[in-house]
Amino acid sequence: MRRLMPFGAAALLALVVSATPEFSAQDQTYLLQEMLGAGSVRTVDGRHAMDVTLTLAPGTNYAVTTTTEFEKSFHIEEWVRAVADGRVTEVQRSYGDMPTESVSVSDLGQGPQKVKTPGVDPKAHQSFVMKVRRDGTREITHDTHLSILEKEMATIPRDTEPDLLPGRKVKIGESWKVPGGKLGLIGMASGQDVMKSADVTATLKSVTRNEQAQSVATISVSGTVHYETFVASGVGADFDTHVFSEVSFKGNAYFNLTYSLMAGFEWEGTSQASGKMNGSTIAATTTYSEAAQYGYAQVFDEAPDNGKHGPDAAAKLETFPSGAIDPAHVVIARNDGKIARFQVFDPATKKIVKTLLVMPGASSIQNLALSPDRKRLAFSSSLNQYISLARADVFVLEIETGKLNQVTPHWATGDGVAKALDTGKTATLTGRIIWKDTDPAVNRDRHDGFSGLVRVDHTMCNGKVNADGTFEVKGVPVGTALLISISGMLPSYVNGKPRPALEKFGGTTMVETIADENGKNLGDVRISPNHIDNSYDRPCWQGDALLVNLSGWTQSYRVGYPDHTWQAVDYGAQLQMLAGGFSASPDGKLVAFCHDSSGGEGSVSMFSGTGKLLWQQGVPGTTLSFTAESIWTPEGMWLCTAGVQNTLGKSLFGSPALVVALPEQKQAGRIKAWAQLAGHRVLSLTTDGENGFFVTHQTLIERNANLGDLWMWEPESDTLTRMTSLHDLVGVASYGR
């Protein structure tokens, strides 16, 4: 499922070798030289299997024989980060899933005993940046995670794919020698093995055409390699390990002549070893096999010059009327904390075209959705949070006129930015909170110790909760229905000990009332520990309406626009509270969510437009979040932001990924991950119908900074290109949601 491509793309190469010979003259020559430029990414998916028979004290009455079957599958990506003078000078090698399994059988006098041990290679989900010297040797250029031990540090620079090519033109049937330094870890049993000699011959066996009409060369490989292993014991020389081994192997490698890229290999061999292990005499025989299939992608991380447009500061909200957004352009949202803005961006030139809106950066902007006619931009923002109980509300910018309209919450009219409620008369609201202290030493209702805030929806009225639990809110409108929110924190200490951070939030209680001119005393108001704050976000265009998500709850709302109507859509108990990635299909018949993977496996849920659960599927090995954003492609597939485990150095964790759901097949899974972007997380995404665009935030712990930039993914060639160097992007929109 990881290889599923929603836009009909596939990896550049696949190991598909047909049986159709390619006609060639007797003296036809073929250039067997690989062309990997800066930005190239080679993906390697393969398996390695060994059957080892190890005898301790062979030839004696005390001989003990153990047989072990070992198998490992692996996914590796190597990114060429730099090239100079025609050679690769820097690479990033990333290890993905690498599960292992060993089955050992030993007989200690009580009959054969079988032990099965699953495991994971310690390099799994780790990335390493390495300098490549002129002689091909490598050196890791950064500190590594504590899980990488000394033996891995010694092995990783030697762990390369075999370089079997002569780098020149050859004829079919012609042979050449392969230097030992170009064999990688072929036939090695441990990271301590040191190659002493190699006699390996490669021969151009044949040239065929595969199903994609590409010319593929089959190269036969065979030879012998000698290794020596020495490990000094910490308890004395009598317990040293000193083993000599001879490895013989044969098989085939495949080279795509059309693209000048290796396509994979498959071979098998045997090994004979003897010497001492931990001071004991040993003899070992090993049979092994290894096969790998290569694919290729590209990642270009050069920082472009995006130009400048519009003001660099904003003291107030200001809009700039414009025509409909060109189909070749996307809308980007930026916020550096000082100024927030929407701008039009041209992917072809990587330049900012024009500015649509600016406002002070204290207001958040996120979850952009461009209407199908590209004349309206919906988004979620904290712009008017001082009169709304929601952390964020949904607004629509009329691009042609520059008018900004607020569409949530229910009391918004869709005509301009909502104003605070004003009935002409005000009064004072009073009351006292009560909360249950569940600590076993207390276990009673309390009024004191709760620090919180009382807010009145659709107004700027608020007041604090006093030390004795009482509160007072002045200036409350008279004679109209009011919704009051009371929330806060519990005491920081309980019984002289710090209260756990996750237990400090006291909860939120909502109260409905009407105040008269004499004011209103709410009496004792019990704080509900389970209520959470919410926000209106992730708007989706549905003709003359917007489907809006209510984060923190299991509901969405269909909001008429510009004619303001309000209709709730409930998704029931099947939708957990930690659900994100909300978006509705353009025809409104399907609604999808992702479930947060913290504490377990993340999943995708597909609902009907009326709120009925249709199907649900887990997405193993992928991080999904309740903050995820998603879109629907023109082909009717759902894409969602995600992440994968990936560590680079000591401080960069995680890499961006995308999850896809296919409604008709009722399938969901990870489509793509970019190990090359360690420390990035996907914040926002869109598509222009052919390419994907997404914004990532790169976390730099040492600088206490998040750098937000735009990337473009071309699925057909699997090419990812950095589009901006602005560092303050928070969203992108094109096709809509």
Side-chain angles (χ1 to χ4, degrees):
M1 197 60 169
R2 181 173 58 79
R3 298 194 173 283
L4 186 63
M5 289 290 182
F7 298 97
L12 182 60
L13 288 177
L15 188 57
V16 182
V17 180
S18 73
T20 305
E22 179 171 294
F23 173 79
S24 61
Q26 187 174 3
D27 58 350
Q28 175 84 37
T29 59
Y30 300 90
L31 179 60
L32 301 186
Q33 182 176 11
E34 196 164 38
M35 302 294 183
L36 284 176
S40 298
V41 179
R42 189 197 325 261
T43 63
V44 183
D45 288 281
R47 61 168 181 80
H48 180 83
M50 292 192 304
D51 292 345
V52 182
T53 301
L54 174 67
T55 302
L56 296 175
T60 71
N61 294 331
Y62 308 103
V64 176
T65 298
T66 301
T67 301
T68 303
E69 300 173 2
F70 177 83
E71 186 167 335
K72 176 174 71 175
S73 59
F74 51 87
H75 175 79
I76 302 171
E77 299 185 13
E78 184 159 297
W79 177 31
V80 178
R81 291 169 57 110
V83 173
D85 299 327
R87 68 176 188 88
V88 175
T89 57
E90 186 178 70
V91 298
Q92 176 177 315
R93 191 167 179 85
S94 301
Y95 296 87
D97 295 329
M98 300 183 73
T100 65
E101 182 179 272
S102 64
V103 179
S104 61
V105 180
S106 60
D107 189 346
L108 301 178
Q110 299 177 341
Q113 302 292 318
K114 180 179 288 189
V115 178
K116 186 175 182 179
T117 307
V120 176
D121 190 295
K123 300 187 296 296
H125 307 297
Q126 300 264 357
S127 289
F128 305 90
V129 177
M130 291 176 279
K131 177 174 64 177
V132 183
R133 303 184 182 93
R134 287 190 175 276
D135 62 1
T137 58
R138 300 178 172 195
E139 178 186 356
I140 299 175
T141 60
H142 54 84
D143 292 335
T144 59
H145 194 261
L146 296 176
S147 62
I148 301 300
L149 304 180
E150 185 177 348
K151 63 178 182 179
E152 276 82 39
M153 286 290 292
T155 303
I156 291 165
R158 300 162 61 193
D159 184 17
T160 64
E161 280 61 62
D163 181 6
L164 308 173
L165 303 177
R168 58 181 174 82
K169 291 183 177 182
V170 299
K171 301 177 183 178
I172 292 177
E174 186 176 348
S175 301
W176 61 93
K177 292 293 185 179
V178 180
K182 294 188 174 184
L183 295 174
L185 301 183
I186 190 168
M188 284 183 57
S190 73
Q192 288 82 23
D193 291 356
V194 176
M195 184 182 295
K196 305 303 292 185
S197 65
D199 184 11
V200 177
T201 301
T203 303
L204 178 56
K205 185 176 179 180
S206 64
V207 175
T208 59
R209 284 190 179 274
N210 63 16
E211 294 178 357
Q212 289 78 38
Q214 300 164 0
S215 296
V216 178
T218 298
I219 302 168
S220 63
V221 187
S222 62
T224 302
V225 183
H226 292 90
Y227 290 104
E228 180 182 2
T229 306
F230 179 79
V231 181
S233 171
V235 296
D238 289 342
F239 298 94
D240 288 348
T241 293
H242 198 179
V243 177
F244 298 88
S245 58
E246 179 181 282
V247 178
S248 299
F249 71 99
K250 64 178 180 179
N252 294 318
Y254 304 97
F255 179 68
N256 189 299
L257 291 161
T258 303
Y259 289 102
S260 297
L261 294 169
M262 288 297 297
F265 62 83
E266 53 185 357
W267 43 60
E268 57 187 19
T270 60
S271 171
Q272 304 290 330
S274 61
K276 289 194 173 184
M277 184 171 67
N278 299 326
S280 298
T281 302
I282 63 103
T285 301
T286 303
T287 61
Y288 75 94
S289 63
E290 190 171 25
Q293 174 177 318
Y294 297 175
Y296 293 87
Q298 297 180 98
V299 174
F300 297 112
D301 191 21
E302 292 84 2
D305 178 6
N306 302 124
K308 293 181 63 176
H309 191 282
D312 292 326
K316 63 178 182 178
L317 188 147
E318 186 177 4
T319 63
F320 306 91
S322 171
I325 304 301
D326 190 305
H329 296 164
V330 299
V331 177
I332 57 174
R334 302 172 59 191
N335 192 342
D336 62 5
K338 299 178 181 179
I339 178 173
R341 46 194 157 184
F342 293 124
Q343 293 178 314
V344 179
F345 183 82
D346 182 3
T349 62
K350 300 181 183 178
K351 298 292 185 182
I352 298 170
V353 176
K354 53 189 171 184
T355 300
L356 302 176
L357 175 149
V358 297
M359 60 182 175
S363 297
S364 67
I365 48 176
Q366 58 191 4
N367 306 140
L368 284 63
L370 193 59
S371 63
D373 63 6
R374 308 179 74 83
K375 296 180 179 180
R376 294 167 172 168
L377 180 67
F379 62 96
S380 178
S381 174
S382 61
L383 170 64
N384 212 11
Q385 64 177 334
Y386 298 107
I387 68 169
S388 176
L389 296 182
R391 294 192 305 269
D393 282 295
V394 171
F395 300 81
V396 172
L397 173 64
E398 293 285 350
I399 295 173
E400 290 185 312
T401 64
K403 185 178 181 181
L404 185 65
N405 299 317
Q406 184 172 346
V407 297
T408 71
H410 66 281
W411 41 259
T413 64
D415 184 13
V417 176
K419 306 296 183 183
L421 188 64
D422 184 3
T423 61
K425 296 181 179 180
T426 63
T428 299
L429 193 70
T430 59
R432 183 175 66 167
I433 64 97
I434 183 171
W435 63 283
K436 179 65 176 288
D437 192 335
T438 58
D439 183 79
V442 182
N443 195 30
R444 63 177 175 83
D445 286 339
R446 295 176 59 181
H447 302 290
D448 64 310
F450 185 93
S451 57
L453 185 69
V454 182
R455 297 182 62 198
V456 182
D457 196 24
H458 204 178
T459 77
M460 296 185 69
C461 302
N462 63 79
K464 71 174 185 177
V465 177
N466 299 314
D468 61 357
T470 61
F471 59 84
E472 180 182 83
V473 182
K474 297 181 178 180
V476 176
V478 169
T480 188
L482 300 174
L483 180 64
I484 298 106
S485 167
I486 308 173
S487 62
M489 307 294 289
L490 301 182
S492 297
Y493 287 84
V494 55
N495 288 333
K497 298 180 179 179
R499 188 183 298 270
L502 295 178
E503 297 179 10
K504 289 183 180 180
F505 180 66
T508 302
T509 289
M510 311 294 283
V511 179
E512 293 183 351
T513 191
I514 298 178
D516 57 30
E517 295 184 20
N518 297 319
K520 182 71 175 183
N521 187 340
L522 298 177
D524 285 346
V525 180
R526 182 170 294 278
I527 298 298
S528 169
N530 298 321
H531 188 89
I532 61 175
D533 290 337
N534 58 66
S535 62
Y536 294 96
D537 52 31
R538 300 175 177 86
C540 310
W541 286 101
Q542 303 268 286
D544 291 331
L546 282 165
L547 197 61
V548 174
N549 180 50
L550 180 59
S551 290
W553 291 91
T554 59
Q555 286 182 321
S556 68
Y557 293 92
R558 184 169 282 105
V559 184
Y561 185 85
D563 297 328
H564 195 266
T565 57
W566 192 263
Q567 178 185 1
V569 180
D570 198 301
Y571 300 97
Q574 300 98 331
L575 187 64
Q576 302 169 2
M577 301 294 273
L578 290 178
F582 166 86
S583 62
S585 59
D587 60 9
K589 294 181 179 180
L590 296 172
V591 174
F593 291 87
C594 73
H595 295 269
D596 195 289
S597 55
S598 57
E601 183 177 273
S603 62
V604 172
S605 293
M606 192 69 64
F607 289 82
S608 69
T610 58
K612 178 183 178 181
L613 179 64
L614 301 177
W615 56 272
Q616 189 175 42
Q617 182 174 333
V619 186
T622 305
T623 303
L624 290 165
S625 170
F626 65 90
T627 63
E629 188 171 303
S630 68
I631 58 168
W632 289 78
T633 72
E635 297 89 348
M637 289 165 282
W638 179 80
L639 287 177
C640 181
T641 62
V644 293
Q645 183 182 351
N646 181 36
T647 300
L648 175 59
K650 293 183 176 180
S651 61
L652 295 181
F653 304 99
S655 287
L658 295 179
V659 164
V660 66
L662 306 177
E664 292 186 3
Q665 292 86 345
K666 297 183 179 180
Q667 292 181 330
R670 188 173 79 229
I671 174 182
K672 180 69 180 178
W674 288 275
Q676 298 73 35
L677 272 59
H680 293 244
R681 65 182 180 92
V682 189
L683 198 68
S684 176
L685 80 161
T686 190
T687 176
D688 61 4
E690 294 183 2
N691 303 313
F693 296 87
F694 57 83
V695 172
T696 70
H697 269 190
Q698 180 184 13
T699 302
L700 300 178
I701 296 177
E702 64 277 6
R703 291 171 51 184
N704 191 27
N706 284 313
L707 306 183
D709 278 300
L710 181 68
W711 300 78
M712 182 177 75
W713 180 42
E714 301 171 80
E716 287 296 333
S717 61
D718 202 355
T719 298
L720 182 69
T721 305
R722 180 177 172 181
M723 305 301 290
T724 68
S725 55
L726 301 169
H727 303 327
D728 61 358
L729 267 70
V730 294
V732 60
S734 178
Y735 172 73
R737 255 196 312 270

